[in-house]
Amino acid sequence: MAIKLSSMTMLRTKYLLILFSIYCCFSFGFQTEERMPLLDLMQKLEKQFDVKFSYSVNDVSGVLVNTPNKSDTLNQIIENLNATTLLNFKFLNERYITVSTINKTISICGVLVSEKNKEPLLGASVLIENSTNGVVSDIDGTFTLNEVDISKKIIISFLGFETQIFKAVDLMLLSNTCKTIEMQMKNEELNQVLISKFLTTGLQKRIDGSTVLNTEKFGILPGLTEPDIMQSIQALPGVESVNESIANINVRGGTNDQNLILWDNIKMYHSGHFFGLISAYNPYLTNKVTVTKNGTSSEFSDGVSSTINMSTKNKIGDVFTGGLGINLIHADAFFEIPLSKKLALHVSGRRSFTDVFNSPTYDTYFERSFQDSELTTNSDNISESNKSSEFFFYDYTAKLLFDFNENHKFRANIIGINNNLDYTESYTSTDDETESKTSNLKQQNLGIGASWNARWSTKFATNFNMFYSKYNVDAVDYRIETDQKLTQANEVLETGIKLKTNLKINTYLNLLSGYQFSEIGILNETTVSVPSYDKTKKDVLLNHAVFSEIEFKKQNTYLRLGVRGNYFQKFNKILMEPRLNFRQKLSHYFALKLQGEFKNQSATQIIDFQDDFLGVENRRWILADEKEIKISESKQASFGLEFNQNNLVIDVEGFYKVVEGITASNQGFYNNFQHLNAEGSYHVKGVEFLINKTANKYSTWLSYTYSINDYKFESFTPSVFPNNVDIRHSFSLAFNYDIVDDLKISIGGIWRSGHPYTKPVEGNETIQNGNNTVVNYDLPNNENLDDFMRLDTSVKYNFNISNTTNASISAGVINLINKKNSINRYYEVDPENSNSAIQINNKSLGLTPNLSLRINF
């Protein structure tokens, strides 16, 4: 309200006169910037212009408008109100004006920055309430959405930051100006994101060196039509699969059983469908996957090579959402069902249709998975026409979310993974009667868990969780030529509880402490009908552990220092495991990293015979007994230098790892050590290099790993020789590009040196071993397969079906150039000539196309 000039005659000081002059300038010179209630303005206009407004009080109550200039005409004022409000002002005649609401869409925009350092946030999710329509913030933290209903709310979320909700009208684009939004970091997220877009959208690098895969924001990777969790992590340097199977992921030279896999804190013993070609974990409810290669938190043990920690969505939504998808192998669905403001249910399911329809993708997968197994190896008296197989898989998850209040939350989970293979052989007997016998292979992993999260104050929180995990692989093998029935079983049962506390000492220090108990039992059973044979072995092991670590983060320094003490009750053995994770920023662009850890593992996999479980899944879990099978122990250290500027990341890291307590029987040897048992170790040293450039429209990266990986078995001759998974050189190159906002393409390739194999002695390929003739192998792992090369590509198109439903179509091709790669080589005695050996080559996937359609609502 302006001050009247008459009142200013009472001001007697020069100071007050100056203030008055400034105020008058503001009041009159900038009159149009003042705001007043619309109701007051309409009453004023009715008196000034002798007009009458017709309106609903609810429509105009609380609306503020710009105060018009005194020189404005009535028509000018009405035009301005129509342009600046969400109401419609219409002349019925010269005296009467109606005021009504309109259905109006607007353009909104914003700039997202971190509250702490004002850095832009790339990859934040911006969604329209009650819909799946949204965008991801670009490299400058900017987002724009057009044709947004003004009545909607906008939900903005980013990993490690508090979710914010705005009215659409509050973010309306005016005069090409976008609102700057400062995102607040979560109080518990001391270990924040360092690189928000790493390799592709949805991959993020944290300050402790771990990598986070955020499936909800996941972009696209070469060859993939969906965000396959276990396939995606192979884009990271130092993560390989020597036989391109997720059932055999090798992290820094380790074997797959040396990876600790957790799904919502439930320990998993099986990771794949189609015997390792497809991840068994639904990515659409599993929204965060953290991969740690070194410097692991002291709360985790097992997994002497790496930790893969998966977490599902953990918030109770306001509306029912979900999605459906289908590709050339399987169909899936997931649903998030809010039952009340405090209770929700998340469910997902997936099943293959490979038992009723054989697509080109299935044919390629089948050929790759079952090569050199009983399904593809001809028996002397069984023709191909008398063989048939039926294979299918399915998985399911369910999660119950209950919030007592903001500080106390309960979660319960279940996950099931199943693979089933039936193999039928038929033949005609001497009596001209047709007989058939069906062999069967089943794999199952069931996990059940529950947790209670409690925040007792702003500085102290606790988490209590328990789990039950059961893994089974069962095979019934009918061998027609010998009329023999072979039954094999491997079962793992594990239960565990963990209590951990978090104490925030101050802004920079956090103390984590806790206790963990686990009981694991493993059963191995083999039964033969002719001749009668039965062997059963069962072991149980109890482990108690206490752990503690201090985490420090201030300006340019990050330090996590911890220790874990393990007590194995059966052996009365204590193992201490120190952990170190240090990062020091040297300048605005450069940082040094130092990591180290001791870890142990009591359950490992072995291969009794290569043709166990129909020759398809020949590994079985066993438990350490500290006699023939020791508890595996690893020691690892790494040191690196990182450069980060203008979304260009260059990372160089050297590492050294030694794992002791491995056994020859769990290495899968194809040489003279194949049926021997001995304790040994392996030593890996190498360098990982990564260069990654990201921009708003594209992302490209090149990674290279050089490593030397050697076994050491004192009782063997020679005692030192190359590891079965020794990959000296490994390159990967990829390029992602957004052609338009809704059309993305990705292309990339892999080149790596072939892993070792053992060839027979030239001129003396077989020898007599008792009554058997066997291959006479030369020096172990002294030869290498040809280099492995593969080119993959993917394309994805997003489109809207309605305001609340969107969809995407993806196409991908693995091994675009159809390169015939050898992934394994071994030898057998030639059945036609016992003095010579024949070479057996296992091949990689050939050209493998896939299509997928997804609908989200």
Short mmCIF file of all heavy atoms in Angstrom, two decimals, residues 517-568:
data_model
loop_
_atom_site.label_atom_id
_atom_site.label_comp_id
_atom_site.label_asym_id
_atom_site.label_seq_id
_atom_site.Cartn_x
_atom_site.Cartn_y
_atom_site.Cartn_z
N PHE A 517 24.77 -63.60 12.82
CA PHE A 517 24.83 -65.05 13.06
C PHE A 517 24.27 -65.76 11.84
O PHE A 517 23.26 -65.34 11.26
CB PHE A 517 24.02 -65.44 14.29
CG PHE A 517 23.79 -66.93 14.41
CD1 PHE A 517 24.80 -67.75 14.89
CD2 PHE A 517 22.59 -67.51 14.01
CE1 PHE A 517 24.62 -69.13 14.99
CE2 PHE A 517 22.40 -68.87 14.11
CZ PHE A 517 23.41 -69.68 14.60
N SER A 518 24.93 -66.85 11.44
CA SER A 518 24.42 -67.64 10.31
C SER A 518 24.65 -69.12 10.58
O SER A 518 25.63 -69.51 11.21
CB SER A 518 25.10 -67.23 9.00
OG SER A 518 26.47 -67.52 9.02
N GLU A 519 23.72 -69.92 10.11
CA GLU A 519 23.83 -71.38 10.15
C GLU A 519 23.61 -71.90 8.74
O GLU A 519 22.59 -71.61 8.12
CB GLU A 519 22.81 -72.00 11.09
CG GLU A 519 22.91 -73.52 11.14
CD GLU A 519 21.85 -74.16 12.03
OE1 GLU A 519 20.77 -73.53 12.19
OE2 GLU A 519 22.08 -75.25 12.56
N ILE A 520 24.56 -72.65 8.23
CA ILE A 520 24.48 -73.16 6.87
C ILE A 520 24.66 -74.67 6.87
O ILE A 520 25.56 -75.20 7.54
CB ILE A 520 25.53 -72.48 5.96
CG1 ILE A 520 25.45 -73.04 4.54
CG2 ILE A 520 26.92 -72.60 6.51
CD1 ILE A 520 26.31 -72.28 3.54
N GLY A 521 23.78 -75.33 6.16
CA GLY A 521 23.86 -76.78 6.01
C GLY A 521 23.83 -77.15 4.54
O GLY A 521 23.04 -76.59 3.77
N ILE A 522 24.68 -78.09 4.13
CA ILE A 522 24.76 -78.49 2.73
C ILE A 522 24.68 -80.01 2.62
O ILE A 522 25.39 -80.73 3.33
CB ILE A 522 26.06 -77.98 2.07
CG1 ILE A 522 26.07 -76.44 2.07
CG2 ILE A 522 26.19 -78.50 0.65
CD1 ILE A 522 27.29 -75.84 1.42
N LEU A 523 23.81 -80.47 1.73
CA LEU A 523 23.60 -81.89 1.49
C LEU A 523 24.03 -82.23 0.07
O LEU A 523 23.68 -81.54 -0.89
CB LEU A 523 22.13 -82.25 1.68
CG LEU A 523 21.69 -83.64 1.19
CD1 LEU A 523 22.22 -84.72 2.13
CD2 LEU A 523 20.16 -83.72 1.06
N ASN A 524 24.79 -83.32 -0.08
CA ASN A 524 25.12 -83.87 -1.39
C ASN A 524 24.76 -85.35 -1.39
O ASN A 524 25.15 -86.09 -0.48
CB ASN A 524 26.60 -83.69 -1.70
CG ASN A 524 26.89 -82.33 -2.29
OD1 ASN A 524 26.56 -82.04 -3.43
ND2 ASN A 524 27.50 -81.46 -1.48
N GLU A 525 24.02 -85.76 -2.41
CA GLU A 525 23.52 -87.13 -2.45
C GLU A 525 23.62 -87.68 -3.87
O GLU A 525 23.29 -87.00 -4.84
CB GLU A 525 22.08 -87.18 -1.97
CG GLU A 525 21.51 -88.58 -1.86
CD GLU A 525 20.10 -88.55 -1.28
OE1 GLU A 525 19.26 -87.79 -1.82
OE2 GLU A 525 19.84 -89.28 -0.31
N THR A 526 24.09 -88.93 -3.99
CA THR A 526 24.16 -89.61 -5.28
C THR A 526 23.66 -91.04 -5.10
O THR A 526 24.08 -91.74 -4.18
CB THR A 526 25.61 -89.63 -5.81
OG1 THR A 526 26.07 -88.29 -5.96
CG2 THR A 526 25.67 -90.34 -7.16
N THR A 527 22.76 -91.46 -5.99
CA THR A 527 22.21 -92.82 -5.94
C THR A 527 22.25 -93.42 -7.35
O THR A 527 21.83 -92.77 -8.32
CB THR A 527 20.76 -92.82 -5.44
OG1 THR A 527 20.70 -92.20 -4.16
CG2 THR A 527 20.23 -94.23 -5.32
N VAL A 528 22.74 -94.64 -7.45
CA VAL A 528 22.81 -95.36 -8.72
C VAL A 528 22.02 -96.65 -8.57
O VAL A 528 22.15 -97.36 -7.56
CB VAL A 528 24.26 -95.66 -9.13
CG1 VAL A 528 24.30 -96.39 -10.46
CG2 VAL A 528 25.07 -94.36 -9.21
N SER A 529 21.19 -96.97 -9.58
CA SER A 529 20.36 -98.18 -9.49
C SER A 529 21.14 -99.44 -9.85
O SER A 529 21.01 -100.47 -9.19
CB SER A 529 19.13 -98.03 -10.40
OG SER A 529 19.53 -97.87 -11.76
N VAL A 530 21.95 -99.37 -10.93
CA VAL A 530 22.70 -100.55 -11.39
C VAL A 530 24.12 -100.13 -11.73
O VAL A 530 24.32 -99.33 -12.66
CB VAL A 530 22.04 -101.19 -12.64
CG1 VAL A 530 22.84 -102.40 -13.09
CG2 VAL A 530 20.59 -101.57 -12.37
N PRO A 531 25.11 -100.63 -11.00
CA PRO A 531 25.01 -101.41 -9.76
C PRO A 531 24.54 -100.51 -8.61
O PRO A 531 24.71 -99.30 -8.67
CB PRO A 531 26.43 -101.90 -9.54
CG PRO A 531 27.27 -100.83 -10.16
CD PRO A 531 26.52 -100.35 -11.36
N SER A 532 23.96 -101.10 -7.61
CA SER A 532 23.39 -100.35 -6.51
C SER A 532 24.48 -99.58 -5.75
O SER A 532 25.49 -100.15 -5.33
CB SER A 532 22.67 -101.30 -5.54
OG SER A 532 22.11 -100.56 -4.48
N TYR A 533 24.25 -98.25 -5.65
CA TYR A 533 25.24 -97.39 -4.98
C TYR A 533 24.51 -96.19 -4.38
O TYR A 533 23.60 -95.63 -4.98
CB TYR A 533 26.29 -96.92 -5.98
CG TYR A 533 27.26 -95.89 -5.43
CD1 TYR A 533 28.35 -96.27 -4.65
CD2 TYR A 533 27.09 -94.53 -5.68
CE1 TYR A 533 29.23 -95.33 -4.14
CE2 TYR A 533 27.96 -93.58 -5.18
CZ TYR A 533 29.03 -93.98 -4.40
OH TYR A 533 29.90 -93.05 -3.90
N ASP A 534 24.91 -95.83 -3.17
CA ASP A 534 24.26 -94.71 -2.49
C ASP A 534 25.30 -93.97 -1.65
O ASP A 534 26.01 -94.60 -0.86
CB ASP A 534 23.11 -95.22 -1.60
CG ASP A 534 22.33 -94.07 -0.97
OD1 ASP A 534 22.59 -92.91 -1.32
OD2 ASP A 534 21.46 -94.35 -0.13
N LYS A 535 25.38 -92.65 -1.81
CA LYS A 535 26.30 -91.84 -1.04
C LYS A 535 25.61 -90.53 -0.64
O LYS A 535 25.08 -89.82 -1.48
CB LYS A 535 27.57 -91.52 -1.84
CG LYS A 535 28.57 -90.67 -1.07
CD LYS A 535 29.79 -90.34 -1.92
CE LYS A 535 30.76 -89.43 -1.14
NZ LYS A 535 31.94 -89.07 -1.98
N THR A 536 25.63 -90.26 0.66
CA THR A 536 25.02 -89.03 1.18
C THR A 536 26.00 -88.36 2.14
O THR A 536 26.56 -89.02 3.01
CB THR A 536 23.70 -89.32 1.91
OG1 THR A 536 22.79 -89.97 1.02
CG2 THR A 536 23.08 -88.04 2.42
N LYS A 537 26.17 -87.07 1.96
CA LYS A 537 27.07 -86.30 2.83
C LYS A 537 26.37 -85.00 3.21
O LYS A 537 25.88 -84.28 2.35
CB LYS A 537 28.39 -86.01 2.13
CG LYS A 537 29.47 -85.41 3.03
CD LYS A 537 30.78 -85.22 2.27
CE LYS A 537 31.94 -84.86 3.19
NZ LYS A 537 31.72 -83.67 3.98
N LYS A 538 26.35 -84.74 4.52
CA LYS A 538 25.71 -83.53 5.00
C LYS A 538 26.61 -82.86 6.03
O LYS A 538 27.14 -83.51 6.93
CB LYS A 538 24.35 -83.84 5.63
CG LYS A 538 23.58 -82.61 6.05
CD LYS A 538 22.17 -82.96 6.55
CE LYS A 538 21.40 -81.71 6.92
NZ LYS A 538 20.02 -82.01 7.38
N ASP A 539 26.79 -81.54 5.86
CA ASP A 539 27.63 -80.77 6.78
C ASP A 539 26.87 -79.54 7.25
O ASP A 539 26.07 -78.96 6.49
CB ASP A 539 28.93 -80.34 6.10
CG ASP A 539 29.79 -81.51 5.71
OD1 ASP A 539 30.32 -82.17 6.61
OD2 ASP A 539 29.91 -81.77 4.49
N VAL A 540 27.16 -79.12 8.47
CA VAL A 540 26.53 -77.93 9.05
C VAL A 540 27.62 -77.07 9.69
O VAL A 540 28.55 -77.59 10.31
CB VAL A 540 25.46 -78.30 10.11
CG1 VAL A 540 24.86 -77.04 10.73
CG2 VAL A 540 24.38 -79.17 9.50
N LEU A 541 27.50 -75.76 9.53
CA LEU A 541 28.49 -74.85 10.09
C LEU A 541 27.81 -73.62 10.66
O LEU A 541 26.93 -73.03 10.01
CB LEU A 541 29.50 -74.43 9.01
CG LEU A 541 30.69 -73.57 9.46
CD1 LEU A 541 31.54 -74.32 10.48
CD2 LEU A 541 31.54 -73.17 8.25
N LEU A 542 28.19 -73.25 11.88
CA LEU A 542 27.66 -72.05 12.53
C LEU A 542 28.75 -70.99 12.58
O LEU A 542 29.92 -71.29 12.83
CB LEU A 542 27.20 -72.35 13.95
CG LEU A 542 25.78 -72.95 14.14
CD1 LEU A 542 25.68 -74.32 13.51
CD2 LEU A 542 25.42 -72.99 15.62
N ASN A 543 28.34 -69.74 12.31
CA ASN A 543 29.29 -68.64 12.31
C ASN A 543 28.73 -67.46 13.08
O ASN A 543 27.59 -67.06 12.87
CB ASN A 543 29.62 -68.22 10.86
CG ASN A 543 30.46 -66.96 10.79
OD1 ASN A 543 30.02 -65.96 10.27
ND2 ASN A 543 31.67 -67.02 11.32
N HIS A 544 29.53 -66.94 14.01
CA HIS A 544 29.20 -65.71 14.72
C HIS A 544 30.16 -64.62 14.26
O HIS A 544 31.36 -64.88 14.07
CB HIS A 544 29.32 -65.88 16.23
CG HIS A 544 28.49 -66.99 16.79
ND1 HIS A 544 27.24 -66.77 17.34
CD2 HIS A 544 28.71 -68.33 16.88
CE1 HIS A 544 26.74 -67.92 17.75
NE2 HIS A 544 27.61 -68.89 17.49
N ALA A 545 29.67 -63.40 14.10
CA ALA A 545 30.54 -62.32 13.66
C ALA A 545 30.12 -61.02 14.32
O ALA A 545 28.93 -60.74 14.51
CB ALA A 545 30.50 -62.17 12.14
N VAL A 546 31.10 -60.21 14.68
CA VAL A 546 30.88 -58.83 15.13
C VAL A 546 31.67 -57.93 14.20
O VAL A 546 32.74 -58.30 13.71
CB VAL A 546 31.31 -58.62 16.59
CG1 VAL A 546 30.39 -59.37 17.54
CG2 VAL A 546 32.76 -59.05 16.82
N PHE A 547 31.13 -56.74 13.96
CA PHE A 547 31.80 -55.84 13.03
C PHE A 547 31.59 -54.39 13.47
O PHE A 547 30.61 -54.06 14.16
CB PHE A 547 31.27 -56.02 11.60
CG PHE A 547 29.77 -55.90 11.46
CD1 PHE A 547 29.17 -54.66 11.22
CD2 PHE A 547 28.96 -57.02 11.55
CE1 PHE A 547 27.80 -54.55 11.09
CE2 PHE A 547 27.59 -56.92 11.41
CZ PHE A 547 27.00 -55.68 11.19
N SER A 548 32.52 -53.57 13.08
CA SER A 548 32.44 -52.15 13.39
C SER A 548 33.29 -51.38 12.39
O SER A 548 34.32 -51.88 11.92
CB SER A 548 32.92 -51.87 14.81
OG SER A 548 32.75 -50.50 15.15
N GLU A 549 32.85 -50.18 12.08
CA GLU A 549 33.63 -49.33 11.19
C GLU A 549 33.29 -47.87 11.43
O GLU A 549 32.18 -47.52 11.83
CB GLU A 549 33.40 -49.70 9.72
CG GLU A 549 32.02 -49.39 9.20
CD GLU A 549 31.81 -49.86 7.76
OE1 GLU A 549 32.52 -50.78 7.32
OE2 GLU A 549 30.93 -49.31 7.07
N ILE A 550 34.26 -47.03 11.19
CA ILE A 550 34.09 -45.59 11.30
C ILE A 550 34.20 -45.00 9.90
O ILE A 550 35.08 -45.38 9.12
CB ILE A 550 35.15 -44.96 12.25
CG1 ILE A 550 34.82 -43.50 12.54
CG2 ILE A 550 36.55 -45.15 11.73
CD1 ILE A 550 33.75 -43.31 13.57
N GLU A 551 33.29 -44.11 9.58
CA GLU A 551 33.27 -43.49 8.26
C GLU A 551 33.41 -41.98 8.42
O GLU A 551 32.65 -41.35 9.16
CB GLU A 551 31.96 -43.83 7.54
CG GLU A 551 31.96 -43.50 6.06
CD GLU A 551 30.72 -44.03 5.37
OE1 GLU A 551 29.65 -44.07 6.02
OE2 GLU A 551 30.78 -44.39 4.19
N PHE A 552 34.40 -41.42 7.73
CA PHE A 552 34.70 -39.99 7.84
C PHE A 552 34.61 -39.35 6.46
O PHE A 552 35.16 -39.84 5.49
CB PHE A 552 36.11 -39.80 8.39
CG PHE A 552 36.59 -38.36 8.39
CD1 PHE A 552 36.17 -37.48 9.37
CD2 PHE A 552 37.44 -37.91 7.39
CE1 PHE A 552 36.61 -36.17 9.37
CE2 PHE A 552 37.87 -36.59 7.37
CZ PHE A 552 37.46 -35.71 8.37
N LYS A 553 33.87 -38.26 6.37
CA LYS A 553 33.74 -37.53 5.11
C LYS A 553 33.74 -36.04 5.41
O LYS A 553 32.86 -35.51 6.07
CB LYS A 553 32.43 -37.92 4.43
CG LYS A 553 32.05 -37.04 3.23
CD LYS A 553 32.95 -37.30 2.05
CE LYS A 553 32.44 -36.57 0.81
NZ LYS A 553 32.51 -35.12 0.91
N LYS A 554 34.79 -35.38 4.93
CA LYS A 554 34.88 -33.93 5.12
C LYS A 554 35.62 -33.33 3.94
O LYS A 554 36.77 -33.69 3.67
CB LYS A 554 35.58 -33.58 6.43
CG LYS A 554 35.62 -32.08 6.71
CD LYS A 554 36.27 -31.79 8.05
CE LYS A 554 36.27 -30.29 8.34
NZ LYS A 554 36.93 -29.98 9.63
N GLN A 555 34.95 -32.44 3.24
CA GLN A 555 35.52 -31.73 2.10
C GLN A 555 36.16 -32.69 1.11
O GLN A 555 35.47 -33.42 0.42
CB GLN A 555 36.52 -30.68 2.60
CG GLN A 555 35.86 -29.59 3.43
CD GLN A 555 36.85 -28.57 3.97
OE1 GLN A 555 38.06 -28.81 4.00
NE2 GLN A 555 36.35 -27.44 4.41
N ASN A 556 37.48 -32.77 1.06
CA ASN A 556 38.16 -33.54 0.03
C ASN A 556 38.61 -34.92 0.49
O ASN A 556 39.28 -35.63 -0.26
CB ASN A 556 39.38 -32.77 -0.47
CG ASN A 556 38.99 -31.46 -1.11
OD1 ASN A 556 37.95 -31.36 -1.73
ND2 ASN A 556 39.83 -30.44 -0.95
N THR A 557 38.25 -35.31 1.70
CA THR A 557 38.75 -36.57 2.27
C THR A 557 37.59 -37.51 2.60
O THR A 557 36.61 -37.09 3.21
CB THR A 557 39.58 -36.32 3.53
OG1 THR A 557 40.64 -35.42 3.21
CG2 THR A 557 40.15 -37.61 4.07
N TYR A 558 37.73 -38.77 2.18
CA TYR A 558 36.79 -39.81 2.57
C TYR A 558 37.58 -40.99 3.13
O TYR A 558 38.56 -41.44 2.53
CB TYR A 558 35.95 -40.29 1.38
CG TYR A 558 35.07 -41.46 1.73
CD1 TYR A 558 33.85 -41.27 2.37
CD2 TYR A 558 35.47 -42.76 1.43
CE1 TYR A 558 33.06 -42.36 2.72
CE2 TYR A 558 34.67 -43.84 1.77
CZ TYR A 558 33.48 -43.64 2.41
OH TYR A 558 32.69 -44.71 2.75
N LEU A 559 37.17 -41.48 4.30
CA LEU A 559 37.85 -42.62 4.92
C LEU A 559 36.83 -43.52 5.58
O LEU A 559 35.97 -43.06 6.34
CB LEU A 559 38.85 -42.13 5.98
CG LEU A 559 39.53 -43.23 6.82
CD1 LEU A 559 40.43 -44.09 5.93
CD2 LEU A 559 40.34 -42.61 7.96
N ARG A 560 36.91 -44.81 5.26
CA ARG A 560 36.11 -45.82 5.95
C ARG A 560 37.07 -46.89 6.44
O ARG A 560 37.72 -47.56 5.66
CB ARG A 560 35.06 -46.41 5.02
CG ARG A 560 34.09 -47.36 5.76
CD ARG A 560 32.94 -47.77 4.86
NE ARG A 560 33.38 -48.62 3.78
CZ ARG A 560 32.70 -48.80 2.65
NH1 ARG A 560 31.58 -48.15 2.45
NH2 ARG A 560 33.17 -49.60 1.72
N LEU A 561 37.14 -47.04 7.74
CA LEU A 561 38.07 -47.97 8.37
C LEU A 561 37.28 -48.91 9.27
O LEU A 561 36.55 -48.45 10.16
CB LEU A 561 39.11 -47.19 9.19
CG LEU A 561 40.30 -47.97 9.74
CD1 LEU A 561 41.14 -48.54 8.60
CD2 LEU A 561 41.16 -47.07 10.62
N GLY A 562 37.39 -50.22 9.01
CA GLY A 562 36.57 -51.16 9.78
C GLY A 562 37.29 -52.47 10.03
O GLY A 562 38.37 -52.75 9.50
N VAL A 563 36.66 -53.29 10.86
CA VAL A 563 37.19 -54.61 11.17
C VAL A 563 36.01 -55.54 11.43
O VAL A 563 34.97 -55.11 11.96
CB VAL A 563 38.15 -54.57 12.38
CG1 VAL A 563 37.39 -54.17 13.66
CG2 VAL A 563 38.86 -55.91 12.56
N ARG A 564 36.18 -56.80 11.07
CA ARG A 564 35.15 -57.82 11.28
C ARG A 564 35.81 -59.03 11.92
O ARG A 564 36.85 -59.51 11.43
CB ARG A 564 34.49 -58.20 9.96
CG ARG A 564 33.38 -59.25 10.09
CD ARG A 564 32.85 -59.65 8.73
NE ARG A 564 31.79 -60.64 8.83
CZ ARG A 564 30.50 -60.39 8.85
NH1 ARG A 564 30.10 -59.12 8.76
NH2 ARG A 564 29.61 -61.35 8.94
N GLY A 565 35.22 -59.52 12.97
CA GLY A 565 35.71 -60.72 13.63
C GLY A 565 34.75 -61.87 13.43
O GLY A 565 33.55 -61.76 13.73
N ASN A 566 35.22 -62.99 12.89
CA ASN A 566 34.39 -64.16 12.62
C ASN A 566 34.81 -65.33 13.53
O ASN A 566 36.01 -65.61 13.65
CB ASN A 566 34.55 -64.60 11.16
CG ASN A 566 34.18 -63.52 10.18
OD1 ASN A 566 33.01 -63.34 9.84
ND2 ASN A 566 35.19 -62.79 9.71
N TYR A 567 33.82 -65.97 14.12
CA TYR A 567 34.09 -67.14 14.95
C TYR A 567 33.32 -68.33 14.39
O TYR A 567 32.09 -68.32 14.32
CB TYR A 567 33.68 -66.89 16.40
CG TYR A 567 33.79 -68.12 17.27
CD1 TYR A 567 35.02 -68.70 17.54
CD2 TYR A 567 32.64 -68.73 17.81
CE1 TYR A 567 35.14 -69.82 18.33
CE2 TYR A 567 32.74 -69.85 18.61
CZ TYR A 567 33.99 -70.40 18.86
OH TYR A 567 34.10 -71.53 19.65
N PHE A 568 34.07 -69.36 13.96
CA PHE A 568 33.46 -70.59 13.43
C PHE A 568 33.41 -71.61 14.56
O PHE A 568 34.44 -72.16 14.98
CB PHE A 568 34.28 -71.11 12.25
CG PHE A 568 34.28 -70.17 11.07
CD1 PHE A 568 35.28 -69.22 10.93
CD2 PHE A 568 33.26 -70.21 10.14
CE1 PHE A 568 35.28 -68.35 9.86
CE2 PHE A 568 33.25 -69.34 9.07
CZ PHE A 568 34.26 -68.40 8.92
#
